[in-house]
Amino acid sequence: GKCRRLLEPLLKQRVVQGEEEEKGHPLLGASFLELGAGAGVPSWTAMWCGARVVCTDLSKENRVRCMAESIERNWRELQKAKSLNSDDTILLNARKARSCPHDWGTPIDRVAQALNEDGSERFDVIVAADCLYMPAFHSELLDSIDRLLSNRGVALLPFALHGNTDDTSVWGIVDIAKQKG
């Protein structure tokens, strides 16, 4: 229902490009990037749905290590939940899930190479969940999204108003995005 509606532009593009619409979840086989992941809950959810996941957060050793450990834990749980079958797209994609550091607005090479070795592919879905409470970084966040999102991609920025700054500043990302095109 709701996930299909949010991803509708991506799904329509797949059909236009002659890709057969997959049975199952709309994230199955999609490239998925989480920016500012923290605990990475959207990444692990996407991993269980069959997406090809790259999870990022600040270039701080403990954050990247925690994300990598979460990938491993989710991989083990997913293996237990499904029988290992070489034809299982969900398990194959989950095994390739990666974590890497990325500070918004900085070069994207490492993130793009986490998806594929030559770094040429961009992401179908980018999620930056609850990252807008820091208005000083809106422009850098949007720069990273612009450089990492595929032409057919969808970026989702769900957020809550934390009260750490005025609401108008948080909503200012809309104007910045319009200015950037």
Side-chain angles (χ1 to χ4, degrees):
K2 192 173 203 174
C3 189
R4 284 197 186 279
R5 284 193 306 278
L6 288 171
L7 299 175
E8 190 172 358
L10 172 63
L11 295 172
K12 283 183 179 177
Q13 188 66 28
R14 282 183 176 177
V15 172
V16 168
Q17 292 180 348
E19 297 176 29
E20 191 174 317
E21 189 171 348
E22 296 278 347
K23 300 264 190 254
H25 199 277
L27 287 176
L28 184 63
S31 54
F32 182 96
L33 171 65
E34 186 175 2
L35 296 170
V41 173
S43 290
W44 317 140
T45 302
M47 182 177 168
W48 279 73
C49 293
R52 296 177 298 129
V53 172
V54 177
C55 184
T56 69
D57 207 328
L58 293 172
S59 298
K60 295 192 180 198
E61 185 178 326
N62 283 336
R63 289 186 187 217
V64 176
R65 179 187 51 77
C66 287
M67 290 184 303
E69 288 172 359
S70 290
I71 288 171
E72 184 62 26
R73 283 188 195 107
N74 275 278
W75 162 248
R76 288 180 184 170
E77 290 301 314
L78 190 55
Q79 261 187 310
K80 288 180 200 173
K82 301 177 85 41
S83 61
L84 185 57
N85 178 335
S86 62
D87 294 334
D88 192 325
T89 303
I90 292 174
L91 284 172
L92 292 172
N93 289 341
R95 192 67 200 139
K96 296 175 187 174
R98 298 288 178 260
S99 65
C100 71
H102 179 66
D103 297 324
W104 304 334
T106 63
I108 63 162
D109 299 346
R110 195 168 182 179
V111 178
Q113 290 167 347
L115 179 61
N116 69 328
E117 284 186 30
D118 69 6
S120 63
E121 188 176 354
R122 294 299 178 258
F123 292 88
D124 297 321
V125 179
I126 296 178
V127 173
D130 204 27
C131 292
L132 304 187
Y133 65 93
M134 304 174 294
F137 297 103
H138 285 177
S139 185
E140 291 84 354
L141 173 60
L142 291 170
D143 287 345
S144 288
I145 291 170
D146 182 52
R147 289 182 285 166
L148 289 161
L149 189 65
S150 73
N151 291 336
R152 68 183 191 177
V154 177
L156 305 171
L157 291 89
F159 68 97
L161 296 169
H162 290 263
N164 65 307
T165 189
D166 66 288
D167 295 358
T168 306
S169 295
V170 176
W171 285 104
I173 195 165
V174 174
D175 293 330
I176 297 169
K178 286 179 183 176
Q179 289 171 358
K180 289 181 176 285

